[in-house]
Amino acid sequence: MDMQGPSAYSTASLRVAGRRDSGGDIAADPSLDTKHFRVCRFIMETGVKLCMRSVPVATACVLYHRFFERVSIHAYEPYLVAMSCVYLAGKVEEQHIRTRDIINVSHRYFNSGSTPLECDKEFWDLRDSVVQCELLILRQLNFQVSFEHPHKYLLHYLLSVKSLVNRHAWSRTPVAETSWALLRDCYHGAMVICHRPQHIAIAMLYLALNSYGVELPAGEREWWQVLCDDVMKADIDAVIADLLQLYDMEAKCI
Amino acid sequence: MDRDLLRQCLTYHGQSLFNTLKCEQTENPDFQAVVSDLCKATYESRCEEQSNPLVEQFIARKADILFSPVWRTAGLRGEEHEEEEAVEPYAVMPPMEVFMEVSYEERRSMIYRDLERGDIVVGRINNIREYGFFLTLFCTAGGLKRDIEDLELSALCHVREIPSTGSHDDPLAYYQIGDFIRAGVKDIDRYQEKITVSLHQACLSPSLEHIKLGVITKEELPVHYSRSVQAATDSSETYERILTGCHGYHNPSVVDYLLEKVGISDTHPPSMMRGLQSKLFQAEDFASAIRKKQSASWALKCVRAGVDHFKHGRHVEAMNEYNKALEIDISNVEALVARGALYANKGSIMKAITDFERALENCPDHRNAKKYLCQTLVERGKQLEEQEKLVTAEGLYRRALALDGSNPEAQEALHKITDTIQKSIRLREEALAKEQVKTKSGQSSAEKLRKILKEEKRMKKKRKRSSSSSSSTSSRTSSSSTSSSSSRRQSKKKKKKRRKSERGSKRHRRISSKESRRSNEGKKDRNEKEEDDEVEWYPAPSNTSATFLNQVGGLGFGLRDEEQVEGKDADDRKSFKLYSLSAASEEEESDSSQRERKGRDREESRTKKTKSSLSRSPDREKIRSRSRERRNRSRDGDRKKDRRSSDSKRRSSLDENSKRKLSCSSGELEYSGRKSSYRPEHSGNSTSKHPENRNDSSSRNLFEENRGRLEVHGADQVKREKESRMEEGTIPDQGHSKKGSAGNQNEQCSMGAKKDLPANLLDIFNQIAQFEKEKGVKPKK
């Protein structure tokens, strides 16, 4: 009945290995990537169940990735960090999520089909851990918790590109949905903190257009060159490659 | 799978993708259905640069999602006209062609391809002929955003397409060369490359209909156009710079706004990940669902604790728990039912009804809620019956029966009340008839009495006229008498509630018949005499409020009951004090309630007398007399009063006895007669609450008195009981009105039941004497 992953978390277990020991070990070990992938999947699922919008979920993921960029995954319980990231992201993005809901949804995530938690000591301990961990994240990130996300860019790009395409062809092709889905899926990996948000947005749009074989008029400059000054085809390819790797990872590990 | 979309994709990517697709989607029946169709065409890769095999693999693997018909959530949405909006909710960007430097030919062919009937274009008049004018188009408005300024597009607006102003002038006279014209595209000839436009609103597509056509000023030109002009003139302007420079880009809710505009749901977000498909999310896993369930369980825990408190008689704690439960879960049915039951127990019938109703709103089939509401409605109905609001009471009974058609209490009550209503109508008619007969026949003793009473009334009126107070005596009297009766009712109710609560705790035991309830009572700590009383009084036609009064009057209450009443009373008084300090309008209410309490006290004393004259212990007397001393009154008067009050008590007990005899011997008619005699007084109760009473100086006095007394005595209930009785004498109007009430009663009684006159008269005379004596005390104050 206990939570599997986060069962051990308490304020005590948070400090198993102390602060900033190894300075992060991201991408050092492929097994870590899958671990982070799973935790990010947890954040995504939790986000949907908490009815969070895309941007707060994205912030939660970025908080998570940034945190483990600095800290070894062995130092802290990643699921607890994820829960606190969701909580903190809700505050940062002005969509406040209550800890109670986070704990409830997480509890059900780890014990599917279980009855809701009682209002007892266990619940309050969990709550305390989440709040404590939030403070830990804040300190680790030096209180820099607001990020620029590709979402805004992507939506503006979508409108601009839409004007280039015949309206009937556009309405037939779900470019907007696909690019939005791709963008959300990006957050499964640390790739989101490795690329510029504009580049990510362009890459998502590029992949979506490409997937449906939508052709845009060609001028002296390509459409993606117009949208962002410093983007190269190589950048787009890199982002797409990273994303496709995440999809491979899903097939492998879930 | 969307075949056209898949074909479009295959045409773009070529044969290699098709091969991969066939590999990856072998198990997809949807793909197998379309594959033969797709095989027919051969796909030459049109993509100059060799396509990325990884991307092709991705497309092939996710084809079932990408080309699923349900994937596309955003339909063809109506275009908003952003220029119309006062603020810019998102960054309106110039068309991308401006930066992409698309060739003239391509742009020209694109606009002829994409421009449609119903679109809006903006142009400058370059030529006016008798059949219309020509426009040079320089920008588009509405949904389509294109850079067309240098495309040398010309459009004709025929004179027919210009709305005339109604007079006979030439419509063209209003237009001059160089005017900016916003026009709707009427027709487009793609081969001859001819565009005709119209100024009639009707030519626009429905989503753009709100945009006004005709001459516009430079300021009204579309935002994207002015921005593209700006970008064209300044080569350092880039898309990115314009984007970040727009106010709309910095709008904090730009993402939400644009998502809606684009048509993507952010609560059921799309994903390419197999594990995040929205169909995998179960409704019961969502936070709101869990929270609801959890709240319900937490609330239920509180309710259980509350019920436990309740069973042990800790009502305050129980109420706290119920309230906590409702705080956690505002519509928790169990908590509402439990709190309703507690309210009902405490006599707050209206609150109880509200709670039960709310519970039934949330769970229309809740058995206990239904049962309790039914009972409470009957209770309330009886209350209303007391107040002679028979029709309302009848409505409540009907409602109760609608809830539970088999409720015997409700059935009985409804049956009785319909009888009563009919009877009262009949009796009133009879009384009227008798009155007429009486006037014909000679003077009877009743007649004499009535004369005396009338005389007295006249005197009273005179006095009232002389005094400036606007109180209506009748209303005051009636309210006092009614309140006494209702207090009786209340105490009876209390008892019933206790019964009910017991039933509530043992939910499964259902006691439906009166017999079983009475047997239940028998188990209680009630003495035999009481029960005899009750049994004795049941056979009497109990469908009238008068019998009801007598019946209850004959009953004795346990001391605990009394104390409960008194305790509640004390609370009431405190709150009244508070209220009255703040608002004068409350005074009136407090007054009536005090009267009510007084009546109840009186009633209680009478009850005690009836039960046994020994119930008054000597030490109680002592306390009373001591309390009297505390009130700074002359001892002399006190002693007199004491004597008098005890006198009156004895007399009232006598009254009671005689009444009882009377009711025993005489039949239904007598009762209903008396009942009808009570009626005007009861109905007067409502009038006593009317504002006319508000300025009643005497009521204010009374209130002040009340307050003073409170300060002196605090919560000593026994004392108060006595004092309130004394108070009757202390206020002049009060005593007087009492007497008036007696007179009224007398009069009506004599009218209603002539044949029982001697007994009735005795009764009435006793009352008169009693009030007279009380009145006699009055000047001493």
Side-chain angles (χ1 to χ4, degrees), chain B residues 208-388:
Chain B
L208 299 171
E209 254 170 357
H210 60 283
I211 298 168
K212 194 108 176 61
L213 300 181
V215 181
I216 57 169
T217 63
K218 210 171 176 179
E219 285 72 41
E220 286 178 283
L221 288 174
V223 180
H224 69 85
Y225 172 72
S226 46
R227 288 208 174 125
S228 69
V229 170
Q230 189 190 341
T233 50
D234 184 359
S235 59
S236 71
E237 287 280 21
T238 62
Y239 184 93
E240 213 174 350
R241 192 179 288 181
I242 294 175
L243 180 67
T244 49
C246 284
H247 284 301
Y249 174 79
H250 299 285
N251 176 6
S253 55
V254 66
V255 172
D256 301 321
Y257 180 86
L258 285 178
L259 274 176
E260 200 186 324
K261 191 177 168 72
V262 168
I264 300 170
S265 155
D266 215 13
T267 47
H268 297 284
S271 174
M272 286 288 168
M273 294 279 180
R274 304 236 171 251
L276 286 175
Q277 297 303 301
S278 51
K279 59 171 184 272
L280 294 174
F281 290 98
Q282 250 112 51
E284 61 262 32
D285 287 339
F286 277 73
S288 52
I290 304 177
R291 169 178 281 268
K292 209 173 158 191
K293 220 169 136 189
Q294 192 179 39
S295 295
S297 98
W298 289 5
L300 211 62
K301 222 174 159 186
C302 288
V303 173
R304 268 192 220 112
V307 169
D308 203 50
H309 280 307
F310 181 76
K311 277 180 186 162
H312 290 92
R314 298 186 294 265
H315 288 186
V316 178
E317 286 86 345
M319 182 58 84
N320 284 342
E321 289 290 338
Y322 297 152
N323 283 333
K324 203 168 122 193
L326 287 169
E327 227 167 76
I328 292 170
D329 184 5
I330 193 149
S331 56
N332 189 285
V333 179
E334 297 302 328
L336 282 170
V337 172
R339 195 175 71 173
L342 184 53
Y343 272 138
N345 268 294
K346 288 284 175 193
S348 311
I349 297 232
M350 292 318 285
K351 280 182 177 173
I353 289 175
T354 324
D355 274 355
F356 291 141
E357 278 172 346
R358 265 177 68 197
L360 282 178
E361 253 170 51
N362 292 310
C363 178
D365 296 320
H366 196 280
R367 261 188 56 217
N368 276 333
K370 251 186 185 171
K371 201 170 91 189
Y372 293 170
L373 179 58
C374 184
Q375 287 169 348
T376 318
L377 282 173
V378 172
E379 207 63 52
R380 175 66 186 155
K382 283 178 181 162
Q383 245 180 27
L384 286 173
E385 221 176 307
E386 288 296 316
Q387 296 166 14
E388 295 293 314

Side-chain angles (χ1 to χ4, degrees), chain B residues 592-633:
Chain B
S592 70
S593 80
Q594 172 159 5
R595 239 180 273 140
E596 189 179 322
R597 177 173 39 73
K598 204 186 300 157
R600 200 185 302 154
D601 290 345
R602 210 186 315 137
E603 180 53 43
E604 263 158 24
S605 72
R606 208 180 299 170
T607 317
K608 256 174 258 150
K609 269 271 153 149
T610 328
K611 210 186 346 181
S612 75
S613 49
L614 291 171
S615 74
R616 280 239 249 128
S617 54
D619 54 338
R620 263 195 175 191
E621 274 293 297
K622 252 182 246 166
I623 294 166
R624 261 169 215 151
S625 53
R626 227 181 290 142
S627 74
R628 229 167 285 133
E629 276 163 22
R630 239 176 269 167
R631 317 206 42 170
N632 303 315
R633 286 197 193 142

Side-chain angles (χ1 to χ4, degrees), chain A:
Chain A
M1 260 311 276
D2 226 1
M3 290 194 186
Q4 288 166 355
S7 63
Y9 55 65
S10 64
T11 43
S13 74
L14 265 178
R15 303 196 189 90
V16 186
R19 290 182 64 205
R20 296 204 72 161
D21 44 348
S22 63
D25 41 18
I26 219 155
D29 183 358
S31 72
L32 282 180
D33 278 353
T34 55
K35 179 73 180 166
H36 286 310
F37 183 90
R38 285 203 185 94
V39 182
C40 288
R41 166 58 56 84
F42 162 72
I43 295 178
M44 300 274 184
E45 274 190 40
T46 310
V48 173
K49 288 171 189 167
L50 288 167
C51 296
M52 284 169 93
R53 298 189 299 264
S54 294
V55 176
V57 172
T59 304
C61 290
V62 172
L63 283 169
Y64 175 83
H65 289 305
R66 289 238 182 261
F67 181 81
F68 282 110
E69 193 185 29
R70 291 151 186 260
V71 163
S72 163
I73 195 167
H74 306 297
Y76 301 102
E77 169 55 50
Y79 284 98
L80 174 63
V81 174
M83 284 164 78
S84 297
C85 285
V86 169
Y87 185 49
L88 182 55
K91 291 182 181 176
V92 171
E93 300 297 341
E94 310 265 347
Q95 192 192 2
H96 197 89
I97 311 286
R98 292 162 81 174
T99 36
R100 180 179 158 192
D101 286 332
I102 295 173
I103 290 168
N104 282 341
V105 169
S106 309
H107 182 260
R108 209 174 156 85
Y109 180 88
F110 294 114
N111 311 280
S112 60
S114 67
T115 50
L117 283 165
E118 286 298 314
C119 184
D120 53 9
K121 192 175 175 299
E122 190 197 356
F123 178 85
W124 291 108
D125 283 350
L126 282 168
R127 198 182 175 284
D128 279 348
S129 336
V130 171
V131 175
Q132 290 285 327
C133 187
E134 183 200 2
L135 294 175
L136 177 75
I137 294 165
L138 278 172
R139 284 200 300 274
Q140 279 290 354
L141 300 185
N142 288 324
F143 297 91
Q144 285 163 353
V145 287
S146 63
F147 310 104
E148 194 179 32
H149 289 296
H151 298 76
K152 232 182 342 188
Y153 291 105
L154 178 62
L155 288 167
H156 280 105
Y157 296 167
L158 270 170
L159 286 184
S160 285
V161 167
K162 181 187 173 187
S163 292
L164 285 177
V165 183
N166 179 281
R167 70 191 88 179
H168 302 294
W170 184 264
S171 69
R172 199 175 58 224
T173 318
V175 175
E177 292 88 338
T178 305
S179 56
W180 194 254
L182 293 171
L183 180 60
R184 284 179 61 95
D185 293 343
C186 271
Y187 284 86
H188 278 90
M191 60 170 283
V192 283
I193 57 171
C194 305
H195 299 281
R196 282 192 68 194
Q198 290 95 323
H199 293 185
I200 295 175
I202 289 172
M204 297 309 119
L205 188 52
Y206 186 93
L207 183 56
L209 290 169
N210 207 341
S211 300
Y212 292 110
V214 177
E215 283 175 282
L216 296 180
E220 296 286 302
R221 299 165 76 196
E222 288 286 344
W223 59 268
W224 40 269
Q225 283 174 311
V226 167
L227 295 177
C228 179
D229 301 325
D230 63 351
V231 73
M232 296 289 148
K233 182 75 174 68
D235 295 323
I236 298 174
D237 287 341
V239 176
I240 290 175
D242 280 347
L243 175 63
L244 297 184
Q245 225 179 347
L246 289 176
Y247 286 114
D248 282 345
M249 204 181 284
E250 191 203 19
K252 268 185 247 156
C253 74
I254 289 188

Side-chain angles (χ1 to χ4, degrees), chain B residues 87-100:
Chain B
V87 284
E88 190 187 0
Y90 67 99
V92 179
M93 296 304 294
M96 278 177 80
E97 310 96 282
V98 177
F99 307 98
M100 282 167 70

Side-chain angles (χ1 to χ4, degrees), chain B residues 486-534:
Chain B
S486 67
S487 73
R488 247 178 282 181
R489 277 283 309 134
Q490 267 189 354
S491 35
K492 153 109 187 188
K493 200 196 309 156
K494 220 74 323 136
K495 205 172 24 170
K496 268 207 163 166
K497 281 302 138 44
R498 254 205 293 155
R499 260 181 253 157
K500 198 192 267 182
S501 75
E502 268 183 21
R503 258 181 292 155
S505 54
K506 304 165 203 162
R507 271 176 199 168
H508 303 294
R509 226 176 85 198
R510 194 181 155 134
I511 300 150
S512 51
S513 69
K514 254 185 187 164
E515 278 73 35
S516 62
R517 200 176 304 158
R518 217 178 297 149
S519 69
N520 213 21
E521 272 162 32
K523 287 172 204 159
K524 286 186 191 170
D525 53 338
R526 239 161 252 267
N527 59 35
E528 278 296 297
K529 200 191 175 252
E530 278 172 346
E531 226 193 330
D532 282 350
D533 267 1
E534 202 170 334

